[in-house]
Amino acid sequence: EHRRNALDNTPKSLSTHSIETICDTNTLGRRIIYSHHIIAKSKRRDLADLFSQYKLGGYAKIGWPGVILIEGRESDCQIFV
């Protein structure tokens, strides 16, 4: 019954779509991407530029194998990948 009362107090102007949008913008996303190798300084610089472009934080383990970790809003992570 408490749950039902809580749902009754939800503003009527919020649609399901807007609630999903609000949750998505506040959801933390994280991806780990495997790469055969990351060696060239130019590629590392390009990765840093991409992290900034997509508003993501990130880390790249250079060498063999290469590993890229990205973190940010879930929607930005989905676009990046």
Side-chain angles (χ1 to χ4, degrees):
E1 185 175 330
H2 184 281
R3 282 174 82 189
R4 187 176 49 186
N5 289 339
L7 291 175
D8 290 340
N9 292 331
T10 303
K12 302 299 181 203
S13 61
L14 286 177
S15 67
T16 304
H17 177 70
S18 63
I19 292 171
E20 289 172 358
T21 303
I22 291 168
C23 291
D24 183 49
T25 59
N26 293 324
T27 302
L28 177 66
R30 191 177 291 137
R31 302 290 187 279
I32 298 175
I33 304 165
Y34 171 85
S35 175
H36 179 259
H37 66 273
I38 302 171
I39 304 294
K41 287 184 181 181
S42 62
K43 299 298 181 193
R44 291 185 259 170
R45 207 172 14 255
D46 291 344
L47 278 173
D49 291 343
L50 281 173
F51 293 160
S52 296
Q53 180 182 344
Y54 288 96
K55 301 176 188 152
L56 298 168
Y59 171 80
K61 184 245 176 218
I62 53 179
W64 292 270
V67 178
I68 303 164
L69 178 122
I70 60 169
E71 184 176 81
R73 289 188 312 189
E74 176 62 27
S75 56
D76 294 333
C77 287
Q78 289 175 1
I79 292 168
F80 183 86
V81 174

